[in-house]
Structure formats: C-alpha cells, structure tokens
Amino acid sequence: MSSAPVKLKIYAEMLEKELERLMPKEECLQSEIFEACRYSLLEGGKRLRPFFSMTFFELCGGKAEDALSFAAGIEMIQSYSLIHDDLPCMDDSDYRRGKLSNHKVYGYSTAVLAGDALLNRAFEVFTSPMEGIKPLDQLAAANVMGTASGVYGMVGGQVVDLALENRQCTAEELEKMVSLKTGALIAGSCKSGCCLAGASPEKAEAAYNFGMAVGLAFQIRDDMLDLVGTSEQVGKPMGSDAENNKNTYASVYGLEKCEQLVKELTDKALESASVFGEEGKAVLSEIALWLINRTY
Ligand code: IPE
Ligand code: IPE
Ligand code: MG
Ligand code: MG
Ligand code: MG
C-alpha cells in the first residue's frame, strides 16, 4: 500500500479524538442536538478535507497536530453539508456513510438544526485560541473557509445543482456548479493549511489551484461511482443522480470521457504542486493518484 492511504488513516484517527472532544455527549435539555451532530460527525467519511488542510500546513513548515482543531472545524462543515444534501428537499437520500441519513434517524427539523449547529461550531472552533498559530494567520484561514463554504462556494454550488435539475445544462454551467459545490471546499481546505502556517500568497494560491483541480476530479469520480459503484462500497445509494434528474459529468460526458477528464485534472493539479518543492510534489502526487483510483 502506498503511504497516502496510511497517512490519511493516521490523520483520521487523530481527527476522531479531536471531534469527540469538540462535540461531546452532553446531558442537558438540548441533548438531542449533540446526539444528532455526533451521529453524522463521528466514525465515518474519508476525512479528506481535514487531511488536505493538515498536509498543506505541514508542507508549509507546520506541525500537523497544531492544525488539528482547525481541521476538525473543516470536517464539521463537510458533515453539515452532507446532512443538508440528503434532506428530502435536496437529494432526498436515505443513506450516508453506510448508515441511515441524519433526518431518517432524528427527523427533518433536528437534521436541519444539526447542520446549522455543526456550521456554527466550526466557526467557533476556527476562532478559538490555537497553540502554535498566529492569530492573524488563523483569521485568514477562517476567512478562506467562510468563502469556500458560503454563497461564493459550496452553498452557491448546491443552489445551482438544484436549479439545474430537470433541464439540460451547458458545459460551462456544469463546470461552474461543480467548482462551487465541491471544488471550493476542497480548494479552501488546502489553502487554509497554508494560511494557518503563514505561508506566502504564492503558496496559498498554488494550494487553492491544486485543490480546485483535485476537487473537480473528485466530483467527476463521485458522479461516475453513482453510475457504476456499489452502495456497499460507497456507503450511499447509487443511481440517485439519474433518479433526481441531475446534471453530472457522467450524464453529460459519459464514462469514457470522464476517465480522461479525471486524468487531465490530476495532471493540472500536479502542475500547481511544484511550488512545494520535490518532496511536496511527491506527497501531493501520491495523494492525487490515489484519489484517481478510488472506488469509495
Ligand atoms: C461527498 O464527499 C460529497 C461530494 C463532494 C462528492 P466525500 O466523498 O468526501 O464524503 P465523505 O466525507 O467521505 O463521506
Ligand atoms: C456534492 O454532491 C454534495 C455537497 C456539496 C454537499 P452530491 O450530491 O453528488 O454528493 P453525494 O453523492 O450525495 O455524496
Ligand atoms: Mg447533491
Ligand atoms: Mg447528494
Ligand atoms: Mg454524488
């Protein structure tokens, strides 16, 4: 096994403990919201976005542990986005990460509030004092994540995704939608690690470009898996894009062309990686190549 999945697993284990610390079980009148948040946040998911933030932090000279709580905040945003994505008013999906979706267990209103709670908690975490991080660097990183997840990023993309249901879209619309809904959060996560380390704007921009290309490739693979994957492996229902009349890379371009696009985008990502030196490029290319071949 290459070291990328090994490293991903090590960081995921560190992250699990941090998430447990930041979103504990609480016995109180509002216990249910803690339970609902923990249900979706803990034990599951590839933890890719926090991994990218910590990896870029390290590549810019930081110690991965110092970026751990910031990375946990990023995973809270990811987890919130998935709870809302699965709601009946969005993709109406009953399974996520190999178990029932949040709203299937806790009901519609608690699932909406669990998403809200995770998003707010993320920014509470981003703005809490962090050892080894300069406050202005932390502020810059939090700002990047706000943009990446909001109207100029993930939320904006989700709006476009829904607006494009049931009609044919152009290649430009498709690329814009995916750049916003998936690319922005992955690119922002990469850039946040550079910002936290106080790296140069040149490195921060290169990390963003790397993440954007990888993010597009990642969503194309997700769209392909929706057609050819198995729900046991991927942990969510397959075939749901067609059922929802979604425009996806797979539906617009077909599988063969998608395979080619994933490769092109990975090459493009690796061009941006050269700013991080030989060692950085080696680490990033290993991750990108591993992602190309993922089956879950
Ligand atoms: C799911 O993201 C949403 C997409 C952008 C395709 P992931 O595939 O990273 O989901 P988890 O976090 O591993 O569950
Ligand atoms: C990405 O798109 C979802 C988010 C940006 C939250 P999908 O709707 O394809 O993600 P999955 O397939 O449900 O994980
Ligand atoms: Mg969706
Ligand atoms: Mg979905
Ligand atoms: Mg999908």
Side-chain angles (χ1 to χ4, degrees), residues 172-186:
E172 288 74 32
E173 285 172 326
L174 181 68
E175 190 182 338
K176 185 73 194 167
M177 183 258 281
V178 172
S179 310
L180 290 170
K181 81 167 180 177
T182 303
L185 203 52
I186 295 181

PDB file of all heavy atoms in Angstrom, residues 172-186:
ATOM      1  N   GLU A 172     -20.290  24.833 -19.529  1.00  0.00           N
ATOM      2  CA  GLU A 172     -19.833  25.910 -18.623  1.00  0.00           C
ATOM      3  C   GLU A 172     -20.619  25.878 -17.304  1.00  0.00           C
ATOM      4  O   GLU A 172     -20.058  26.028 -16.235  1.00  0.00           O
ATOM      5  CB  GLU A 172     -20.012  27.302 -19.262  1.00  0.00           C
ATOM      6  CG  GLU A 172     -19.055  27.620 -20.389  1.00  0.00           C
ATOM      7  CD  GLU A 172     -19.405  26.863 -21.670  1.00  0.00           C
ATOM      8  OE1 GLU A 172     -20.607  26.606 -21.914  1.00  0.00           O
ATOM      9  OE2 GLU A 172     -18.477  26.504 -22.418  1.00  0.00           O
ATOM     10  N   GLU A 173     -21.943  25.687 -17.432  1.00  0.00           N
ATOM     11  CA  GLU A 173     -22.770  25.643 -16.220  1.00  0.00           C
ATOM     12  C   GLU A 173     -22.367  24.468 -15.324  1.00  0.00           C
ATOM     13  O   GLU A 173     -22.284  24.598 -14.105  1.00  0.00           O
ATOM     14  CB  GLU A 173     -24.262  25.518 -16.594  1.00  0.00           C
ATOM     15  CG  GLU A 173     -24.864  26.805 -17.119  1.00  0.00           C
ATOM     16  CD  GLU A 173     -26.282  26.603 -17.652  1.00  0.00           C
ATOM     17  OE1 GLU A 173     -26.586  25.523 -18.217  1.00  0.00           O
ATOM     18  OE2 GLU A 173     -27.085  27.539 -17.529  1.00  0.00           O
ATOM     19  N   LEU A 174     -22.104  23.334 -15.961  1.00  0.00           N
ATOM     20  CA  LEU A 174     -21.722  22.138 -15.210  1.00  0.00           C
ATOM     21  C   LEU A 174     -20.409  22.375 -14.463  1.00  0.00           C
ATOM     22  O   LEU A 174     -20.285  22.078 -13.267  1.00  0.00           O
ATOM     23  CB  LEU A 174     -21.566  20.963 -16.194  1.00  0.00           C
ATOM     24  CG  LEU A 174     -21.193  19.624 -15.584  1.00  0.00           C
ATOM     25  CD1 LEU A 174     -22.336  19.064 -14.735  1.00  0.00           C
ATOM     26  CD2 LEU A 174     -20.831  18.619 -16.676  1.00  0.00           C
ATOM     27  N   GLU A 175     -19.435  22.937 -15.161  1.00  0.00           N
ATOM     28  CA  GLU A 175     -18.125  23.162 -14.524  1.00  0.00           C
ATOM     29  C   GLU A 175     -18.256  24.162 -13.371  1.00  0.00           C
ATOM     30  O   GLU A 175     -17.669  23.987 -12.306  1.00  0.00           O
ATOM     31  CB  GLU A 175     -17.106  23.655 -15.552  1.00  0.00           C
ATOM     32  CG  GLU A 175     -15.718  23.654 -14.944  1.00  0.00           C
ATOM     33  CD  GLU A 175     -14.629  24.159 -15.861  1.00  0.00           C
ATOM     34  OE1 GLU A 175     -14.813  24.135 -17.093  1.00  0.00           O
ATOM     35  OE2 GLU A 175     -13.594  24.592 -15.319  1.00  0.00           O
ATOM     36  N   LYS A 176     -19.044  25.200 -13.599  1.00  0.00           N
ATOM     37  CA  LYS A 176     -19.242  26.212 -12.557  1.00  0.00           C
ATOM     38  C   LYS A 176     -19.911  25.575 -11.335  1.00  0.00           C
ATOM     39  O   LYS A 176     -19.491  25.792 -10.194  1.00  0.00           O
ATOM     40  CB  LYS A 176     -20.127  27.337 -13.129  1.00  0.00           C
ATOM     41  CG  LYS A 176     -20.323  28.525 -12.225  1.00  0.00           C
ATOM     42  CD  LYS A 176     -19.066  29.360 -12.144  1.00  0.00           C
ATOM     43  CE  LYS A 176     -19.114  30.338 -10.999  1.00  0.00           C
ATOM     44  NZ  LYS A 176     -17.840  30.948 -10.681  1.00  0.00           N
ATOM     45  N   MET A 177     -20.940  24.785 -11.571  1.00  0.00           N
ATOM     46  CA  MET A 177     -21.673  24.157 -10.475  1.00  0.00           C
ATOM     47  C   MET A 177     -20.742  23.275  -9.628  1.00  0.00           C
ATOM     48  O   MET A 177     -20.714  23.373  -8.394  1.00  0.00           O
ATOM     49  CB  MET A 177     -22.816  23.316 -11.074  1.00  0.00           C
ATOM     50  CG  MET A 177     -23.718  22.649 -10.082  1.00  0.00           C
ATOM     51  SD  MET A 177     -23.361  20.909  -9.892  1.00  0.00           S
ATOM     52  CE  MET A 177     -24.153  20.221 -11.337  1.00  0.00           C
ATOM     53  N   VAL A 178     -19.931  22.457 -10.304  1.00  0.00           N
ATOM     54  CA  VAL A 178     -19.058  21.537  -9.572  1.00  0.00           C
ATOM     55  C   VAL A 178     -17.900  22.287  -8.890  1.00  0.00           C
ATOM     56  O   VAL A 178     -17.495  21.947  -7.774  1.00  0.00           O
ATOM     57  CB  VAL A 178     -18.560  20.413 -10.515  1.00  0.00           C
ATOM     58  CG1 VAL A 178     -17.506  19.565  -9.840  1.00  0.00           C
ATOM     59  CG2 VAL A 178     -19.732  19.550 -10.941  1.00  0.00           C
ATOM     60  N   SER A 179     -17.386  23.333  -9.559  1.00  0.00           N
ATOM     61  CA  SER A 179     -16.318  24.127  -8.920  1.00  0.00           C
ATOM     62  C   SER A 179     -16.823  24.709  -7.618  1.00  0.00           C
ATOM     63  O   SER A 179     -16.096  24.743  -6.622  1.00  0.00           O
ATOM     64  CB  SER A 179     -15.887  25.309  -9.791  1.00  0.00           C
ATOM     65  OG  SER A 179     -15.612  24.894 -11.073  1.00  0.00           O
ATOM     66  N   LEU A 180     -18.077  25.163  -7.625  1.00  0.00           N
ATOM     67  CA  LEU A 180     -18.636  25.766  -6.419  1.00  0.00           C
ATOM     68  C   LEU A 180     -19.001  24.708  -5.376  1.00  0.00           C
ATOM     69  O   LEU A 180     -18.578  24.788  -4.225  1.00  0.00           O
ATOM     70  CB  LEU A 180     -19.885  26.591  -6.769  1.00  0.00           C
ATOM     71  CG  LEU A 180     -19.670  27.883  -7.554  1.00  0.00           C
ATOM     72  CD1 LEU A 180     -21.010  28.441  -8.022  1.00  0.00           C
ATOM     73  CD2 LEU A 180     -18.941  28.917  -6.711  1.00  0.00           C
ATOM     74  N   LYS A 181     -19.774  23.711  -5.769  1.00  0.00           N
ATOM     75  CA  LYS A 181     -20.321  22.814  -4.735  1.00  0.00           C
ATOM     76  C   LYS A 181     -19.260  21.893  -4.125  1.00  0.00           C
ATOM     77  O   LYS A 181     -19.349  21.552  -2.947  1.00  0.00           O
ATOM     78  CB  LYS A 181     -21.533  22.017  -5.251  1.00  0.00           C
ATOM     79  CG  LYS A 181     -21.240  20.799  -6.083  1.00  0.00           C
ATOM     80  CD  LYS A 181     -22.496  19.904  -6.269  1.00  0.00           C
ATOM     81  CE  LYS A 181     -22.126  18.703  -7.117  1.00  0.00           C
ATOM     82  NZ  LYS A 181     -23.193  17.742  -7.304  1.00  0.00           N
ATOM     83  N   THR A 182     -18.259  21.504  -4.906  1.00  0.00           N
ATOM     84  CA  THR A 182     -17.252  20.568  -4.386  1.00  0.00           C
ATOM     85  C   THR A 182     -15.836  21.150  -4.427  1.00  0.00           C
ATOM     86  O   THR A 182     -15.071  21.021  -3.473  1.00  0.00           O
ATOM     87  CB  THR A 182     -17.287  19.255  -5.200  1.00  0.00           C
ATOM     88  OG1 THR A 182     -18.616  18.741  -5.124  1.00  0.00           O
ATOM     89  CG2 THR A 182     -16.310  18.236  -4.675  1.00  0.00           C
ATOM     90  N   GLY A 183     -15.497  21.790  -5.559  1.00  0.00           N
ATOM     91  CA  GLY A 183     -14.131  22.318  -5.716  1.00  0.00           C
ATOM     92  C   GLY A 183     -13.779  23.320  -4.630  1.00  0.00           C
ATOM     93  O   GLY A 183     -12.689  23.270  -4.045  1.00  0.00           O
ATOM     94  N   ALA A 184     -14.706  24.228  -4.345  1.00  0.00           N
ATOM     95  CA  ALA A 184     -14.389  25.330  -3.421  1.00  0.00           C
ATOM     96  C   ALA A 184     -14.018  24.838  -2.025  1.00  0.00           C
ATOM     97  O   ALA A 184     -13.064  25.345  -1.414  1.00  0.00           O
ATOM     98  CB  ALA A 184     -15.573  26.291  -3.346  1.00  0.00           C
ATOM     99  N   LEU A 185     -14.743  23.843  -1.521  1.00  0.00           N
ATOM    100  CA  LEU A 185     -14.460  23.376  -0.150  1.00  0.00           C
ATOM    101  C   LEU A 185     -13.110  22.642  -0.086  1.00  0.00           C
ATOM    102  O   LEU A 185     -12.353  22.798   0.881  1.00  0.00           O
ATOM    103  CB  LEU A 185     -15.604  22.468   0.330  1.00  0.00           C
ATOM    104  CG  LEU A 185     -15.797  22.312   1.830  1.00  0.00           C
ATOM    105  CD1 LEU A 185     -15.883  23.659   2.538  1.00  0.00           C
ATOM    106  CD2 LEU A 185     -17.048  21.491   2.129  1.00  0.00           C
ATOM    107  N   ILE A 186     -12.819  21.871  -1.107  1.00  0.00           N
ATOM    108  CA  ILE A 186     -11.532  21.155  -1.123  1.00  0.00           C
ATOM    109  C   ILE A 186     -10.393  22.156  -1.344  1.00  0.00           C
ATOM    110  O   ILE A 186      -9.372  22.124  -0.641  1.00  0.00           O
ATOM    111  CB  ILE A 186     -11.551  20.030  -2.195  1.00  0.00           C
ATOM    112  CG1 ILE A 186     -12.585  18.977  -1.779  1.00  0.00           C
ATOM    113  CG2 ILE A 186     -10.163  19.411  -2.363  1.00  0.00           C
ATOM    114  CD1 ILE A 186     -12.722  17.785  -2.707  1.00  0.00           C
TER     115      ILE A 186
END
